[in-house]
Amino acid sequence: MNLRMDYNNVLSSRIGKEGITQADFDALKPAAEKASQTMADNRPAMKWRELPYNQAEIVAGIKAYAAEMKDGIDAFVVLGIGGSALGPMAVQQALNHPFYNELPREKRTANGAADSFPKLYVVDNVDPERLVYLFQTIDPTRCLFNVISKSGSTSETMSQFMIIKALLEERLGKEAARKRIVCTTDKEKGNLIKIAKEEDYKYFIVPDGVGGRFSQLCPVGLLPAAFCGIDIGGLLEGAAQMDERCKSPCIHENPAYMFAALHVMALNKGKNVTVVMPYADSLKFISDWFAQLWGESLGKHFDLDGNVVNVGQTPVKALGVTDQHSQVQLYAEGPYDKMIVLLGVDEYRETITIPKLYEDMPSLGFLGGVTHNDLIKNEQLATEYALTKSGRMNMTLTLPRVTPQTLGQLLYFFEVATAYAGYLLNIDPFDQPGVEEGKNATYALFGRPGYEAKKAEMDAAPPKDDKYVM
């Protein structure tokens, strides 16, 4: 039950002049050896790589808390943004019923067990309609709100928390409201851990060295998953399996390193867009999660030597077969600027057969007796063929079946590949100065103390010209 990667269709032997050649591999070799050494040297600092091994006690604590709390709530609500939201959504979509929240409580179970689980909502934006409409959908006093912010100063998440705290205390009183809030944050730094201790909220810790976009396999992602009945131990087991496969420093023996190397060589050939296109609804939100991981990690102005490089590869999300009827035309005949990653599944969890109708109509009759399982697989193969025929780089990642173990493999695979790609590009894959600039500008606009210089800088910017406003 291992993830497979097929990269035949990125090679020049398959797609011609746009493909990767042996000369490209040879040219990358010095950077690959250096990046492999950097990964080895920096592993102690990459605490997310130890998450598959050092969380037995944490997993037990999460399971115990979920067992204690789940029957007394209707919904578990995540207040978070970025990796704090995208990861929980991706795992929930992948492993639970696609209409999980619409199922009656007694059908929201884990593997047919007697236990049932609350609904899951993820509030990851501050559109003023979002919380108002959520409160019209759920009874907040019957929910458990998980506030996720390592710094405790994430404006979006903390503003949501402040609204929820005030609402719960008004309706329930302070003591009862306290039991409806659980925090996930740093063990000692920032506002949220201070608030959690002062207010006596239950809290879980984001380990040191685990950034937001690398945090799905710690309490950030494990706590919401546990409240939905997902086997969080299986996720970590799968991640450990992938870590074992990613120990070799050689790209030809390490699937995550090869994925990264292929993308960097593609980037060197002008392929500055990477498309992740799952052929399974269960994996739909993996594309969203990957987009943050890849884009935020690799889009950088400076390299590690201080040179201006403005490097990065734009991640695009698609869904097979849906986007065969929208985006694939561009991929097959548009600019030669893309690497397309098809994400497939060997065995779907359900089978449905098309009835034998309209057999006198050749354009419909051929479908009779065919399963949707075969149809989606053949459409994936057809897309691969069309892309390859038109000389477009494409590769395929395949899960034997979507399970906690294989999903854990996939998440960890992408994380290792992202880190390695960063070092191949000689940039820091773990910072996000572009994000910080936007945050600082927001703080300045609201007059937050300490951001007066940024406000002055913004005020000094040239005004817009009204003649260019239509």
Side-chain angles (χ1 to χ4, degrees):
M1 291 289 285
N2 284 330
L3 168 72
R4 303 191 310 276
M5 179 174 67
D6 178 353
Y7 60 94
N8 276 277
N9 297 336
V10 304
L11 304 176
S12 61
S13 58
R14 293 279 292 179
I15 63 171
K17 63 183 180 65
E18 293 293 327
I20 292 170
T21 66
Q22 184 58 49
D24 295 318
F25 278 103
D26 293 341
L28 189 73
K29 188 175 181 180
E33 291 176 348
K34 181 181 178 183
S36 295
Q37 188 60 54
T38 304
M39 288 288 286
D41 293 343
N42 289 354
R43 172 145 187 163
M46 292 187 279
K47 302 299 185 183
W48 52 271
R49 298 205 67 176
E50 300 309 312
L51 295 176
Y53 309 108
N54 62 6
Q55 296 192 97
E57 186 175 340
I58 293 167
V59 167
I62 287 173
K63 288 181 176 180
Y65 180 65
E68 173 193 350
M69 298 296 296
K70 68 180 181 62
D71 293 334
I73 60 173
D74 296 334
F76 185 89
V77 183
V78 171
L79 307 179
I81 198 165
S84 302
L86 294 169
M89 286 192 291
V91 169
Q92 165 75 345
Q93 175 75 12
L95 295 174
N96 275 339
H97 194 289
F99 304 108
Y100 176 87
N101 278 2
E102 281 71 48
L103 293 173
R105 176 77 184 229
E106 64 270 16
K107 291 188 176 181
R108 278 182 261 122
T109 61
N111 301 317
D115 283 350
S116 63
F117 296 89
K119 296 178 180 181
L120 175 71
Y121 293 95
V122 179
V123 186
D124 65 339
N125 205 351
V126 289
D127 182 320
E129 298 175 0
R130 190 72 172 268
L131 279 178
V132 173
Y133 292 161
L134 179 66
F135 296 156
Q136 294 173 4
T137 304
I138 62 174
D139 177 358
T141 66
R142 292 280 305 163
C143 298
L144 180 61
F145 293 89
N146 180 204
V147 190
I148 308 176
S149 173
K150 190 169 185 180
S151 68
S153 61
T154 310
S155 296
E156 300 86 355
T157 300
M158 297 307 290
S159 70
Q160 294 167 343
F161 161 67
M162 292 160 73
I163 292 167
I164 295 295
K165 172 183 166 63
L167 182 151
L168 291 176
E169 290 184 353
E170 177 185 351
R171 296 190 186 181
L172 295 175
K174 190 165 185 177
E175 178 59 26
R178 176 182 65 79
K179 298 178 182 178
R180 295 297 185 193
I181 294 172
V182 55
C183 304
T184 308
T185 187
D186 190 88
K187 66 180 178 182
E188 56 187 24
K189 294 181 291 185
N191 298 323
L192 189 52
I193 188 62
K194 180 181 178 182
I195 291 170
K197 290 179 177 179
E198 288 178 352
E199 302 283 352
D200 196 25
Y201 295 142
K202 177 73 174 179
Y203 62 86
F204 291 89
I205 297 303
V206 183
D208 290 337
V210 178
R213 55 190 182 272
F214 292 85
S215 66
Q216 174 55 32
L217 296 174
C218 79
V220 169
L222 299 181
L223 183 62
F227 268 89
C228 297
I230 290 169
D231 177 10
I232 59 177
L235 287 169
L236 296 174
E237 179 185 332
Q241 291 166 352
M242 183 53 67
D243 186 51
E244 188 65 29
R245 295 180 64 192
C246 294
K247 285 186 174 178
S248 174
C250 175
I251 64 171
H252 296 282
E253 299 172 359
N254 185 320
Y257 284 14
M258 178 58 81
F259 181 90
L262 293 169
H263 277 75
V264 169
M265 288 185 284
L267 184 60
N268 292 339
K269 287 178 170 289
K271 312 304 188 275
N272 61 353
V273 175
T274 186
V275 179
V276 174
M277 189 172 184
Y279 273 77
D281 275 8
S282 60
L283 300 175
K284 178 179 181 178
F285 292 147
I286 289 295
S287 297
D288 297 70
W289 174 82
F290 174 83
Q292 185 208 7
L293 179 70
W294 199 252
E296 195 168 85
S297 298
L298 303 183
K300 298 296 163 64
H301 184 63
F302 294 107
D303 69 10
L304 292 172
D305 300 318
N307 302 308
V308 174
V309 290
N310 297 120
V311 74
Q313 198 176 41
T314 302
V316 172
K317 57 185 181 181
L319 179 65
V321 296
T322 300
D323 287 314
Q324 288 177 210
H325 295 267
S326 61
Q327 298 180 35
V328 166
Q329 172 62 34
L330 173 66
Y331 302 163
E333 295 193 3
Y336 287 88
D337 62 350
K338 300 172 189 68
M339 164 79 89
I340 296 100
V341 180
L342 306 177
L343 186 52
V345 176
D346 284 333
E347 182 184 347
Y348 294 85
R349 287 172 292 217
E350 303 292 343
T351 299
I352 189 166
T353 302
I354 305 166
K356 293 184 177 181
L357 304 175
Y358 309 112
E359 294 185 74
D360 58 333
M361 299 180 183
S363 62
L364 296 178
F366 79 97
L367 292 171
V370 172
T371 66
H372 267 181
N373 309 58
D374 290 333
L375 182 57
I376 195 170
K377 287 180 180 179
N378 281 340
E379 295 226 35
Q380 179 185 335
L381 290 172
T383 298
E384 178 186 340
Y385 172 79
L387 293 170
T388 303
K389 182 180 178 180
S390 60
R392 312 299 166 133
M393 282 193 183
N394 67 95
M395 60 190 301
T396 303
L397 300 176
T398 304
L399 299 184
R401 184 179 172 91
V402 181
T403 69
Q405 287 79 10
T406 60
L407 188 65
Q409 289 180 26
L410 181 64
L411 296 172
Y412 193 84
F413 169 87
F414 278 140
E415 289 176 349
V416 174
T418 300
Y420 188 73
Y423 291 133
L424 281 175
L425 294 168
N426 195 37
I427 54 97
D428 183 349
F430 303 114
D431 66 356
Q432 52 277 333
V435 175
E436 297 305 318
E437 178 66 18
K439 288 181 180 179
N440 293 340
T442 301
Y443 299 151
L445 288 170
F446 278 103
R448 177 176 165 178
Y451 291 83
E452 293 81 6
K454 179 59 66 177
K455 182 63 166 65
E457 174 192 316
M458 296 175 72
D459 290 342
K464 293 183 178 180
D465 192 325
D466 287 344
K467 73 179 181 180
Y468 299 123
V469 179
M470 300 177 69

